[in-house]
Amino acid sequence: MANDDQFKKVISHAKEYGYVFQSSEIYDGLSAVYDYAQNGAELKKNIRDYWWKAMVQMHDNIVGIDAAIFMHPTTWKASGHVDAFNDPLIDNKDSKKRYRADVLVEDYCAKIESKIDKEITKAEKRFGDAFNKEEFVTTNHRVVRYQEKINTILKRLGKSLENEDLKDVKALIEELEIADPMTGSRNWTDVKQFNLMFGTKLGASADSAMDLYLRPETAQGIFVNFLNVQKTGRMKIPFGIAQTGKAFRNEIVARQFIFRMREFEQMEMQFFIKPGTQKEWFDYWKETRLKWHKSLGLGEDNYRFHDHEKLAHYADAATDIEFKFPFGFKELEGIHSRTDFDLKQHEEFSGKKLQYFDHEENASYTPYVLETSIGLDRMFLAVFSNALEEEELENNTTRTVLRLPAVLAPIKAAVLPLVKKDGLPEVAQKIVQDLKWDFNVDYDEKDAVGRRYRRQDANGTPFCITVDHDTLEDGTVTIRHRDSMEQSRVKIENLRDIIKNEVDVKEWLMRMN
Ligand code: ATP
């Protein structure tokens, strides 16, 4: 299936099966804002819990907080967001469409990169087992030329953005003859900076109202609480503070479903360390976070690191964990070595000391910070889009199956009476009542059992439990596995253990080791 078609299928499946709805759809929706529906809210919660378990509860030296969305406005001056949280925007004069100038250039480079990929695939076919990829990409003239072109363009873009030379960004777009991807027009306006923060007001009367921002990241709620948590939790460096919560960005272009939203949720952890140890912790968290992702079994080849050449003003090293979404490899999580920038800034703007007294060193210092920051909605999209499959079956039919990792699936089991009579619904209901204490389970008695199986497959439910007439005789049921479609006969009292074995967070997280 073409990637575009696959992505459209993901979006419509998410709606049809009660995962994600357009916000305020009855009023034609609100651009880049989405609501999580009955199954989506459960899946999102399970992802959040999976992160929280691994990050907070399994680390003795990491604690979690829940800071407010509203923060004192000086926070955003100190953090640099008021002055520098900008994206360079460019409008097309003919189509009136608005784009991020840097993304237009990056997409241009991605096209050259796909030419490189094509050359590699061709050569792989030609040389077979003798193919040496590393040698090929460093010696093949065409590939080397393509790569040099990408490097030159990205270097120039990085430099222009760093120097705020927006004229040069426009000149680059013109030199590369980049056209509006929707219409092909090359009639561009100048490039302008656009601040991504949403403003609002606090207070009832117009003259005393205070200008506020909706937080564009959750990290600052952690920095301003650094000392409170360190002191009350008697935390010793190295230690981390984690939180999950909403963030808001007035994104210029937001056309990729829940990948880029204007209201979204982050799961962030700031790890406070001794200055000078940042390289070691950067490597540690790169490895640890990748292991967390891989524990979910979404496919080893679907991840790659993208180390940043152009660093944000606060960072001395940064990398993205990129995931292969239906529209290509894109950032899923950022890992940033933030130095002591944030604490020093808050110290300066608040006039309060934000230092740590190290008993071993018998000295005070401003800790350095290592950040891991992942978008919960992007993680949802990664899990959901990876799971959706049109499977060809042996009898020449297909089935739609949502192979969600069982630990994250919103509904763990559906209990189905074979028929709606002879006391079978009552037995099925009794099983539901028992299993409910441990798992989110569903009861379904409508339609033929085969159709109910298909419905649960498409919904991502790992188990179907069917109650039939034999159940009344011997207390056994049929349990059917979503992925293999295998069925076996088991005793009702064993159901809990069988399900637990497959959905237990511990079992899944142990795969990180
Ligand atoms: P991008 O380059 O895609 O705009 P970013 O580098 O600005 O992302 P960060 O500021 O590092 O993102 O935020 C950390 C994480 O938050 C990202 O890795 C991503 O998963 C998530 N995120 C950021 N912006 C959005 C958004 N508009 N919608 C959904 N998730 C987002």
Side-chain angles (χ1 to χ4, degrees):
M1 204 181 312
N3 290 348
D4 255 8
D5 291 348
Q6 168 68 5
F7 192 36
K8 279 190 194 136
K9 263 207 112 203
V10 165
I11 298 170
S12 64
H13 196 85
K15 179 172 180 197
E16 192 182 338
Y17 283 86
Y19 278 85
V20 183
F21 299 149
Q22 174 81 59
S23 156
S24 9
E25 196 191 75
I26 58 166
Y27 295 105
D28 297 331
L30 188 62
S31 160
V33 187
Y34 292 90
D35 296 339
Y36 287 89
Q38 63 279 17
N39 285 318
E42 290 284 344
L43 173 56
K44 195 174 165 194
K45 178 182 175 299
N46 293 344
I47 297 173
R48 194 191 294 111
D49 289 349
Y50 194 69
W51 181 88
W52 190 268
K53 185 82 204 169
M55 189 58 95
V56 180
Q57 296 176 346
M58 297 309 293
H59 280 105
D60 295 339
N61 59 347
I62 300 181
V63 292
I65 64 167
D66 184 10
I69 288 172
F70 290 143
M71 296 185 71
H72 192 283
T74 310
T75 309
W76 306 110
K77 278 210 160 303
S79 67
H81 283 82
V82 171
D83 295 325
F85 195 52
N86 301 318
D87 275 342
L89 75 79
I90 189 164
D91 289 301
N92 187 282
K93 289 186 199 163
D94 297 329
S95 70
K96 309 277 180 267
K97 294 247 179 283
R98 179 159 279 190
Y99 296 94
R100 260 174 69 175
D102 54 337
V103 172
L104 285 178
V105 177
E106 280 163 8
D107 286 350
Y108 179 89
C109 291
K111 279 194 194 129
I112 309 179
E113 207 172 299
S114 63
K115 287 186 188 162
I116 296 180
D117 289 344
K118 272 194 197 134
E119 294 289 339
I120 294 174
T121 316
K122 261 201 306 197
E124 248 166 1
K125 274 202 194 125
R126 197 165 355 120
F127 296 115
D129 286 346
F131 182 65
N132 179 333
K133 186 172 162 191
E134 204 162 304
E135 192 185 323
F136 179 75
V137 295
T138 46
T139 53
N140 178 281
H141 291 309
R142 209 172 292 161
V143 171
V144 170
R145 246 197 353 259
Y146 284 147
Q147 195 54 55
E148 277 171 4
K149 188 166 181 193
I150 294 176
N151 294 348
T152 314
I153 294 171
L154 290 182
K155 206 163 175 191
R156 177 161 158 203
L157 177 70
K159 213 162 161 203
S160 318
L161 290 175
E162 205 170 301
N163 299 336
E164 295 256 337
D165 186 354
L166 300 182
K167 280 207 168 70
D168 192 56
V169 178
K170 180 171 182 195
L172 184 60
I173 289 174
E174 285 177 337
E175 281 167 38
L176 297 173
E177 301 189 343
I178 295 176
D180 180 340
M182 311 285 254
T183 63
S185 157
R186 295 202 192 109
N187 192 5
W188 295 111
T189 62
D190 288 341
V191 179
K192 281 184 289 200
Q193 288 292 21
F194 177 76
N195 192 291
L196 300 184
M197 282 198 295
F198 284 103
T200 185
K201 291 204 181 289
L202 179 91
S205 80
D207 26 308
S208 66
M210 190 184 204
D211 287 319
L212 286 193
Y213 295 104
L214 297 185
R215 67 179 178 197
E217 62 175 27
T218 57
Q220 300 305 323
I222 293 178
F223 294 128
V224 300
N225 280 301
F226 159 72
L227 259 198
N228 281 341
V229 174
Q230 191 270 318
K231 292 228 154 85
T232 56
R234 299 189 308 281
M235 308 301 290
K236 285 204 176 66
I237 272 181
F239 73 89
I241 306 178
Q243 77 165 328
T244 70
K246 287 279 173 113
F248 304 82
R249 296 184 188 176
N250 200 359
E251 299 279 1
I252 296 172
V253 183
R255 295 195 193 107
Q256 281 165 318
F257 190 41
I258 55 172
F259 179 82
R260 191 175 296 287
M261 300 154 89
R262 297 204 162 99
E263 173 181 341
F264 59 101
E265 192 163 337
Q266 290 186 314
M267 306 190 286
E268 296 199 301
M269 192 279 299
Q270 312 294 328
F271 201 65
F272 298 91
I273 55 176
K274 210 162 151 177
T277 61
Q278 64 268 33
K279 169 82 180 82
E280 177 190 319
W281 286 112
F282 184 64
D283 293 343
Y284 170 84
W285 281 110
K286 265 177 86 166
E287 192 189 335
T288 306
R289 292 303 302 145
L290 191 62
K291 278 191 192 161
W292 180 84
H293 284 285
K294 289 190 172 171
S295 72
L296 287 168
L298 305 189
E300 300 270 315
D301 296 339
N302 287 330
Y303 301 92
R304 69 181 190 195
F305 283 115
H306 170 237
D307 294 330
H308 289 209
E309 298 229 339
K310 175 186 170 264
L311 293 169
H313 57 280
Y314 52 74
D316 71 359
T319 195
D320 297 334
I321 296 178
E322 294 188 338
F323 183 76
K324 198 170 181 190
F325 288 97
F327 37 84
F329 272 102
K330 294 272 177 212
E331 173 177 344
L332 172 59
E333 169 157 7
I335 297 167
H336 309 123
S337 172
R338 295 182 75 121
T339 69
D340 55 4
F341 175 83
D342 304 272
L343 291 180
K344 281 251 168 81
Q345 287 290 105
H346 287 304
E347 213 170 49
E348 187 186 326
F349 279 76
S350 67
K352 309 267 167 27
K353 236 181 162 51
L354 293 177
Q355 293 205 340
Y356 173 79
F357 183 75
D358 192 325
H359 286 277
E360 277 170 25
E361 304 270 322
N362 201 22
S364 292
Y365 54 78
T366 310
Y368 269 39
V369 170
L370 222 294
E371 167 183 79
T372 71
S373 174
I374 172 168
L376 176 49
D377 314 86
R378 273 191 202 178
M379 187 62 201
F380 184 112
L381 183 59
V383 168
F384 192 88
S385 58
N386 186 272
L388 187 60
E389 189 188 325
E390 280 303 319
E391 189 186 12
E392 306 272 345
L393 299 177
E394 277 168 11
N395 58 0
N396 278 338
T397 58
T398 58
R399 69 162 179 157
T400 304
V401 52
L402 192 63
R403 295 183 192 276
L404 296 172
V407 65
L408 302 181
I411 297 167
K412 305 301 187 201
V415 186
L416 325 170
L418 188 64
V419 288
K420 263 193 275 182
K421 55 183 186 185
D422 304 336
L424 301 189
E426 288 74 10
V427 177
Q429 285 286 7
K430 166 94 180 41
I431 295 174
V432 169
Q433 294 310 319
D434 283 349
L435 291 178
K436 241 185 196 174
W437 291 99
D438 297 293
F439 318 107
N440 197 22
V441 285
D442 195 14
Y443 172 80
D444 190 2
E445 60 173 25
K446 198 169 170 290
D447 300 323
V449 79
R451 287 187 66 178
R452 280 181 271 169
Y453 284 157
R454 287 287 182 273
R455 194 152 60 221
Q456 295 297 339
D457 288 345
N459 205 42
T461 310
F463 294 104
C464 283
I465 295 158
T466 307
V467 173
D468 57 23
H469 292 94
D470 287 346
T471 312
L472 306 178
E473 306 292 319
D474 60 9
T476 65
V477 288
T478 299
I479 187 158
R480 175 184 178 274
H481 296 250
R482 176 198 66 197
D483 293 344
S484 62
M485 296 189 288
E486 264 167 29
Q487 302 187 11
S488 55
R489 203 73 198 173
V490 301
K491 286 209 152 314
I492 291 175
E493 59 264 33
N494 293 339
L495 282 172
R496 189 182 161 278
D497 285 347
I498 295 170
I499 299 170
K500 183 165 187 298
N501 206 25
E502 297 264 330
V503 306
D504 194 28
V505 174
K506 181 176 171 191
E507 294 294 323
W508 284 79
L509 278 179
M510 290 290 273
R511 297 177 190 182
M512 280 181 73
N513 298 327

